[in-house]
Amino acid sequence: MNNKPYREEELRRLLKEKQTMQLPETARHKSLKAFKAGLPNNGSSPQRSHYHQRKRRHLLGALATVSAAGIAGILLVNAIFLPEVSNEPLPDVTEVGLIGAGETIEAGEIEENENLIYRILNRTSFAEFEEINRFNFRSVYNETFQLYLPPRWTTEETKEDVADSILISGPDGEKLNMIVFNERVTDQQFKEEVDRVISEIPYSEVTEVPVERVISEIRMNHDFPLPYNDVFSFDREKTKMYAFVDQENELLTELYVTEDLFGQQMIYTAEMPLYNKENWFVSWILFSHLRVQAPHTHFGSEEELHPEYERPLEKIVSLDVGAIGVEDVEVELYINEDLELTSYLPRGTNIEQIEHEHFTEWRFTEDGVSENSFYAFGKLKADFPFQRSMQTMFGSFDIDLSYYEDLGGGTPYHYGYYSGMEEAFIDGYITLFEGADGWYYKHKHADREDYNGGVYTQRLNMFIESLEWHD
């Protein structure tokens, strides 16, 4: 990936930005119990139709190394336009007679304080943190989420009807709390909960932190593999970030508010020691590497049901891509009346029924992808020769038997294959499995030039895992 044009654009944007000093403000960390007690009981709210109006695809990205000229340019911009970084205590400016510590403030009243934003963004690089390779994933929220955390950090969960709280504690007094909503609440309810969280955070200075600024900082100054193309696992267009400094107690509290963490509403706070900046970046790691159990259906994306099969007509799912990537895909209900079964396929998938001597194939392809790449499933006929199953399947697709690769694992009737390293490079696998009314198979076949082997594997797995037979 070539980041040079992007970095030049970032420099131009920084040159155009105006510095503004914002007002000091106040608040403190909230408890889940208080949260639940304060929710208005208005019943369930309608699902939001915006899940049908947007398509977000997150693909694996790797940051390129910044050139010497780019680094020099960044340093020049910082030297001319941004305040000098200092470890000295941030000045307590509550005496200006505007909004002082202890006064009530709502999220909509918080503005940008350029001085504070710059200091908040100045934190340890991912690559410089000596224990980064020792991080590991912790499963939380009914094992739906996996959090990438440093060693010695602990998690504790509190489950409630409306929302679950995931408390993450660090070795130096860090307290991180994710409040994940189990059902969608109204905009007004969500706003009231955000304002109540803010009202309990102590501060002498506060600022909104533009999400784009955080994304730019991570992309430009933190050379580290990132699973999401937009850096974070939440939708940046539906997310707000804030930072609160409490000089008296020497605390930094960050607040992230999002309407869309894989379709779910979330309020997140991170309370950190103000002058121990070593672990400030953990929040960025947390949300840039948060994973979901794939295939994961986005909360709230299942609206209209099919009148006969009572399954959602469409929804959004998160699928794995490569080693650490995640992709959000809009899928539609697939109905096979011949086999009396349903499943899900990405929107716009082409479907072709092909009759073979010993089985019937349903092949799935995409526009713009060569005919050498597809995934499929099929129903074996009564006369299928199981004693020659590999020869039968390979022969039907003109796959040379010498391409066979024993992938191990002990799975019966599983045949992997690959061939070539240049023009003729293909790979795939065929697996026979028993369904509700007989034997079926699944098949992935990918051409190296299409670079979609892993993508098609995940789509095929989603399809098979979503199969339902109907009488």
Side-chain angles (χ1 to χ4, degrees), residues 22-261:
Q22 300 301 337
L23 309 180
E25 334 255 9
T26 47
R28 176 156 168 69
H29 197 46
K30 63 162 287 183
S31 66
L32 181 63
K33 183 177 181 180
F35 151 72
K36 182 184 177 185
L39 264 180
N41 186 17
N42 293 338
S44 300
S45 61
Q47 303 293 344
R48 300 169 191 268
S49 62
H50 65 244
Y51 291 104
H52 298 281
Q53 299 172 355
R54 67 117 168 95
K55 184 174 185 179
R56 257 193 317 127
R57 299 168 71 96
H58 296 307
L59 299 178
L60 174 65
L63 297 178
T65 302
V66 183
S67 66
I71 294 175
I74 294 171
L75 293 176
L76 177 61
V77 171
N78 288 348
I80 297 175
F81 293 93
L82 297 175
E84 180 182 355
V85 180
S86 171
N87 289 324
E88 294 298 317
L90 295 173
D92 187 345
V93 290
T94 58
E95 297 180 0
V96 295
L98 298 170
I99 301 176
E103 294 188 21
T104 301
I105 187 173
E106 297 181 353
E109 299 173 328
I110 301 176
E111 299 181 351
E112 296 177 22
N113 179 328
E114 185 64 34
N115 188 345
L116 186 53
I117 289 173
Y118 177 70
R119 294 171 186 245
I120 294 304
L121 295 183
N122 179 45
R123 55 189 71 185
T124 306
S125 168
F126 296 174
E128 293 175 4
F129 189 72
E130 61 180 11
E131 294 185 327
I132 193 70
N133 292 325
R134 297 174 55 199
F135 277 37
N136 52 72
F137 284 103
R138 314 282 180 83
S139 294
V140 297
Y141 198 58
N142 296 322
E143 298 189 349
T144 301
F145 295 159
Q146 286 188 313
L147 308 181
Y148 196 48
L149 293 172
R152 298 190 299 145
W153 287 59
T154 62
T155 60
E156 181 181 351
E157 299 184 56
T158 302
K159 299 182 180 299
E160 299 287 349
D161 293 336
V162 178
D164 285 8
S165 175
I166 303 161
L167 179 64
I168 306 162
S169 301
D172 297 318
E174 301 88 355
K175 295 180 181 179
L176 286 52
N177 191 27
M178 293 176 60
I179 299 175
V180 184
F181 288 69
N182 302 321
E183 62 183 59
R184 291 202 73 84
V185 297
T186 65
D187 291 343
Q188 182 60 31
Q189 288 174 319
F190 192 58
K191 176 183 179 300
E192 289 174 359
E193 291 311 311
V194 172
D195 289 337
R196 179 158 58 177
V197 171
I198 292 175
S199 73
E200 297 178 357
I201 302 175
Y203 71 94
S204 56
E205 204 172 359
V206 64
T207 184
E208 180 177 350
V209 182
V211 179
E212 293 292 342
R213 291 281 295 275
V214 180
I215 291 175
S216 297
E217 171 67 19
I218 293 174
R219 280 175 168 164
M220 295 179 70
N221 296 325
H222 298 270
D223 191 7
F224 196 77
L226 298 169
Y228 300 98
N229 194 45
D230 285 339
V231 175
F232 290 117
S233 50
F234 45 67
D235 186 340
R236 64 181 179 180
E237 301 295 334
K238 297 182 176 68
T239 301
K240 293 285 189 180
M241 293 181 172
Y242 307 93
F244 303 79
V245 167
D246 176 16
Q247 292 289 352
E248 180 178 355
N249 298 303
E250 297 187 350
L251 288 177
L252 165 68
T253 301
E254 293 186 292
L255 169 65
Y256 299 171
V257 178
T258 185
E259 288 274 355
D260 192 359
L261 177 67

Side-chain angles (χ1 to χ4, degrees), residues 290-305:
L290 188 150
R291 297 177 66 83
V292 291
Q293 183 180 12
H296 170 74
T297 299
H298 281 218
F299 187 89
S301 67
E302 303 173 293
E303 294 185 356
E304 186 178 357
L305 299 180

